[in-house]
Amino acid sequence: LSPSYLVLVSRILSVWTMASCSLSQPCPVNSVVGAGIGGSAVTHFLQQHFGPRVQIDVFEKGTVGGRLATISVNKQHYESGAASFHSLSLHMQGFVKHLGLKHRREVVGRSAIFGGENFVLEETDWYLLNLFRLWWHYGISFLRLQMWVEEVMEKFMRIYKYQAHGYAFSGVEELLYSLGESSFINMTQRSVAESLLQVGVTQRFIDDIVSAVLRSSYGQSAVMPAFAGAMALAGAQGILWSVEGGNKLVCSGLLKLTKANVIHATVTSVALPADR
C-alpha cells in the first residue's frame, strides 16, 4: 500500500481506540505498532482526538520512518522508499505545513521505454507531440487508463469527507465498500491487467507503459492487485512532491510533536485487556 493510503486508513483506525481523559482521571496509555507514516499519523490523530494529555507508546523494531527512508551516496541523500507524494494526499500536505517543513523541488526529466534492443517510445519537451506518439503506438488506451484512474481517485477522495464527520468502520473491507461499493472490493481480488483489459486498454499498452510505471514505483508487475495499482498509476499522472531533507522527517516530526514514547522492540502479538 502507498504511504498516502496508509495515512488515510490510519485516520480511520485511530477512532477505534476508546479512551477518555479528564482532570480527575489519568489518561490511559495508547499503544501504536510501527513508527512509519501510518503509525506516526495515528499518534497525531490520537492526540487530536483525545487531547494533549493522551499518553502514547510507539513500538518500532527498526528505524523511525518505515518505508520513508533515505540512503547516502557520495554525500548526497536519496529517497530509498516512498520517493514522493501525490498532490491529492491532503493529510501529507497538512503534516508538512503543520511541522513547518518545505516541499523539495523535483528535477524534471524525460521518460523512455526500452524494448531490449531499441527505444520503443521516447518523451519529448512537446506535450502535443507526446500525445500524438502515444496515440500512434497505442491508440486511445492512454485515455482509457486516465479515465479509469480518475474514476478510482474520485471515489477514493470521499474518505476525507467521512473523516471530517467522524465516521468509523469495523474493517478495511467495510471502508472500501463505503468508498467504491463492490467495485473497490473486486479491485483487491483482481490484477491491474485484468481490470484495465476490462475497460478496453490494450495488452501492448499494459506491457509497455503500465508495467514500467508499476515496476519503477512499486517494484511490482501488472499482476499486482488493481486497487494498489491504481494508486501507483495515479502518482504517474498527478503532480508529485517530496520533503526537503527527506520524507522521513514527517514521521519523526509527528512523533516529536505528540511527545510519543518510542520503544524499540518487536511486537509479537496484540490482545485486548480482559476487562474490555
Side-chain angles (χ1 to χ4, degrees):
L1 297 179
S2 65
S4 58
Y5 178 70
L6 289 174
V7 171
L8 295 171
V9 173
S10 71
R11 177 63 180 92
I12 299 297
L13 295 178
S14 70
V15 300
W16 287 357
T17 305
M18 301 304 294
S20 61
C21 294
S22 64
L23 294 176
S24 59
Q25 185 179 14
C27 293
V29 176
N30 296 270
S31 297
V32 176
V33 180
I37 187 58
S40 302
V42 166
T43 64
H44 168 77
F45 290 124
L46 282 173
Q47 187 182 76
Q48 189 179 64
H49 190 73
F50 297 118
R53 296 180 62 246
V54 67
Q55 302 178 52
I56 306 172
D57 286 341
V58 178
F59 294 87
E60 172 57 57
K61 67 177 182 179
T63 58
V64 171
R67 286 190 61 213
L68 304 189
T70 59
I71 58 174
S72 298
V73 179
N74 293 331
K75 299 182 179 180
Q76 296 292 326
H77 300 291
Y78 300 92
E79 299 290 344
S80 60
S84 56
F85 304 107
H86 197 279
S87 58
L88 294 179
S89 182
L90 303 186
H91 283 318
M92 290 302 299
Q93 296 274 23
F95 292 157
V96 168
K97 183 178 180 180
H98 191 55
L99 295 172
L101 300 174
K102 297 180 180 179
H103 287 198
R104 181 171 59 197
R105 182 180 301 174
E106 295 291 338
V107 178
V108 179
R110 298 180 185 177
S111 300
I113 300 174
F114 186 67
E117 296 181 356
N118 49 49
F119 286 100
V120 178
L121 186 67
E122 294 183 67
E123 189 178 19
T124 71
D125 293 329
W126 302 91
Y127 176 73
L128 292 179
L129 180 57
N130 292 333
L131 288 181
F132 175 77
R133 287 185 172 183
L134 282 172
W135 171 79
W136 182 261
H137 283 274
Y138 306 106
I140 62 172
S141 285
F142 69 96
L143 291 177
R144 287 174 173 163
L145 171 67
Q146 184 174 1
M147 292 172 62
W148 180 74
V149 171
E150 288 179 352
E151 182 182 1
V152 173
M153 293 303 297
E154 182 179 358
K155 293 179 180 178
F156 187 67
M157 293 297 288
R158 296 173 183 171
I159 196 168
Y160 291 107
K161 181 178 179 179
Y162 294 164
Q163 293 170 12
H165 289 83
Y167 295 164
F169 302 89
S170 60
V172 175
E173 185 172 331
E174 183 181 345
L175 165 63
L176 292 177
Y177 187 84
S178 70
L179 294 172
E181 299 183 343
S182 59
S183 64
F184 271 22
I185 302 296
N186 292 336
M187 287 177 66
T188 65
Q189 301 168 354
R190 66 172 57 159
S191 68
V192 176
E194 291 173 322
S195 296
L196 291 179
L197 287 172
Q198 191 174 36
V199 297
V201 177
T202 65
Q203 185 65 54
R204 182 186 177 191
F205 186 82
I206 294 173
D207 293 339
D208 289 354
I209 304 295
V210 175
S211 295
V213 172
L214 296 178
R215 179 166 296 182
S216 63
S217 59
Y218 266 49
Q220 300 286 332
S221 68
V223 299
M224 73 179 297
F227 185 79
M231 299 298 138
L233 293 169
Q237 299 182 40
I239 300 175
L240 302 180
W241 56 275
S242 56
V243 179
E244 185 70 40
N247 295 331
K248 63 182 181 181
L249 293 180
V250 175
C251 299
S252 58
L254 290 175
L255 294 174
K256 182 178 180 181
L257 189 67
T258 57
K259 298 180 180 179
N261 178 32
V262 179
I263 302 172
H264 293 282
T266 300
V267 175
T268 58
S269 63
V270 178
L272 288 173
D275 58 346
R276 288 293 180 93

